[in-house]
Amino acid sequence: MSEAYHIISDGSCDLAEALAKEKDITVVPFYVSFDDEHYLKEGVEIGIRDFYQQMVERKGVYPKSSMPSAQDYAEAFFPYAKEGIPVICICITTKFSGSMQSALNAKALVLEEYPDAEITVIDSCINTVLQGLYVLEAAALRDSGMSYADTVKRLEEIKSTGRIFFTVGDMEYLKHGGRIGKVTAVAGSVLGIRPVITLKEGEIFPSGIGRGRKRTTEKALELLLEYLAEGLNADCYSIAIGYGYDYQEAEAFRAHTLEILHGRGIDIKEIPIFQIGATISVHTGPYPLGFGIIEKGIHQ
């Protein structure tokens, strides 16, 4: 442990284990259950691929997720407090989960034993792959040599720029989770209509509907293009594609997106593909697809 400060996030960030390890980020997992009784740690006791496979094979069974406990966070915080290494802990939007409160409770526990420990808990106001991009920006700021205080300040500055533009395979999971009105869900199931959704500043907003996957994914791409046109230069943003069960669809969507961007003179060379984890897919079902975008902590 020789780092200036350490980055921790809850499992909503949906960072692959290898990437989190490479960037020296600790992830505190959420839990997931298919029977309301037995909860398994995502990525530890149940792999994300196995989770999606069960969703696909057990149609009509709606899994649930549960936030990390204060004890889970305390176990992540204590080693760094003991070594005198400050911590920045980034949590899913408080409008979706009480994960941040668990982290704050854990911080209080740690401070009882290590009163000088530095632990900053941040409400990211975002989730899933967008939270992952935000956490990666935190690691990039740290690795650039930016101070602890300046990194916290910069993270607070950029989080409001985060957006998710996405669609889902059908409305059943959104309906079951109470994320959309039942009338809209019934119309969707009858007519084959799917929603396009925007997440910003911790909340989801309807951004259109369409019949068929192609129309809704094109609408998500339109929203991305509109957002890029309104803001900074495209190279000032970090962008990722998030998908659920179907990686080949995500690859094709990325290729199409890059073709459209380049055709409009937007020189983005790479868009990583991240798999959306259980924390969000229990609400979206196995076929979410869309974009996460956030301003970079450091502009080139």
Side-chain angles (χ1 to χ4, degrees), residues 195-245:
V196 181
I197 298 167
T198 294
L199 180 139
K200 62 180 180 179
E201 298 181 9
E203 297 190 64
I204 58 173
F205 301 91
S207 294
I209 55 174
R211 186 173 295 173
R213 185 72 157 180
K214 183 172 176 57
R215 289 190 179 183
T216 54
T217 54
E218 286 297 322
K219 177 60 178 177
L221 177 52
E222 284 176 23
L223 291 169
L224 176 70
L225 291 168
E226 288 171 8
Y227 186 65
L228 287 171
E230 293 170 359
L232 304 167
N233 292 332
D235 58 7
C236 294
Y237 292 99
S238 182
I239 304 172
I241 285 173
Y243 79 103
Y245 181 70

Side-chain angles (χ1 to χ4, degrees), residues 143-205:
D143 296 345
S144 75
M146 186 174 287
S147 72
Y148 181 75
D150 285 345
T151 293
V152 171
K153 180 182 177 183
R154 182 62 179 147
L155 289 172
E156 290 291 348
E157 289 172 351
I158 67 172
K159 72 180 182 182
S160 66
T161 69
R163 299 287 186 277
I164 294 174
F165 308 117
F166 76 102
T167 188
V168 295
D170 60 48
M171 291 196 181
E172 289 306 309
Y173 287 86
L174 291 169
K175 174 186 173 184
H176 186 81
R179 296 291 179 185
I180 59 172
K182 290 183 179 179
V183 173
T184 308
V186 169
S189 62
V190 172
L191 301 173
I193 289 173
R194 301 177 174 101
V196 181
I197 298 167
T198 294
L199 180 139
K200 62 180 180 179
E201 298 181 9
E203 297 190 64
I204 58 173
F205 301 91

Side-chain angles (χ1 to χ4, degrees), residues 34 40 45-56:
F34 280 88
L40 303 174
E45 297 168 327
I46 181 170
I48 187 60
R49 185 66 188 176
D50 182 28
F51 167 78
Y52 273 114
Q53 197 64 46
Q54 289 195 49
M55 286 184 89
V56 170

Side-chain angles (χ1 to χ4, degrees), residues 99-178:
S99 177
M100 182 175 177
Q101 189 58 55
S102 290
L104 290 171
N105 292 342
K107 175 182 176 178
L109 288 172
V110 172
L111 289 175
E112 287 179 9
E113 189 167 340
Y114 297 99
D116 296 329
E118 290 185 90
I119 302 172
T120 300
V121 180
I122 296 176
D123 176 3
S124 70
C125 295
I126 49 184
N127 59 15
T128 189
V129 299
L130 176 55
Q131 184 179 334
L133 292 177
Y134 187 59
V135 172
L136 290 173
E137 289 305 310
L141 291 167
R142 175 200 62 197
D143 296 345
S144 75
M146 186 174 287
S147 72
Y148 181 75
D150 285 345
T151 293
V152 171
K153 180 182 177 183
R154 182 62 179 147
L155 289 172
E156 290 291 348
E157 289 172 351
I158 67 172
K159 72 180 182 182
S160 66
T161 69
R163 299 287 186 277
I164 294 174
F165 308 117
F166 76 102
T167 188
V168 295
D170 60 48
M171 291 196 181
E172 289 306 309
Y173 287 86
L174 291 169
K175 174 186 173 184
H176 186 81

